[in-house]
Amino acid sequence: MNMNMLFNMFTRIVMRRAMNWGINKGVGKMSRGKGKPPVAGQPGQRRPNQTADLAKKMRTLSRLTRR
């Protein structure tokens, strides 16, 4: 193995972990839903269980795209 291959391998490992960390942080932040509860008539607002379902689907999607 030459230095270029080792450097590329190390970079891929670090970037994969950084991307997974960022994705998990974003999904976790979405699923927690801190703040005021949504008012029923406001567009764009989701109920907490909808947000949790969306977060679960996003985690599944991110796992599928990694393969």
Side-chain angles (χ1 to χ4, degrees), residues 3-20:
M3 264 323 258
N4 191 30
M5 290 175 69
L6 289 173
F7 182 74
N8 286 339
M9 188 184 337
F10 177 74
T11 304
R12 267 190 246 113
I13 290 169
V14 170
M15 288 305 295
R16 186 180 307 129
R17 287 190 182 180
M19 287 293 290
N20 289 340

Side-chain angles (χ1 to χ4, degrees), residues 55-67:
K56 184 177 178 182
K57 288 177 185 176
M58 292 302 289
R59 272 191 230 106
T60 304
L61 180 65
S62 67
R63 263 188 254 122
L64 289 174
T65 57
R66 284 183 223 149
R67 293 182 184 170

Side-chain angles (χ1 to χ4, degrees), residues 37-59:
V39 178
Q42 291 181 343
Q45 295 290 329
R46 291 189 173 94
R47 294 187 308 270
N49 58 352
Q50 279 183 321
T51 308
D53 290 341
L54 179 63
K56 184 177 178 182
K57 288 177 185 176
M58 292 302 289
R59 272 191 230 106

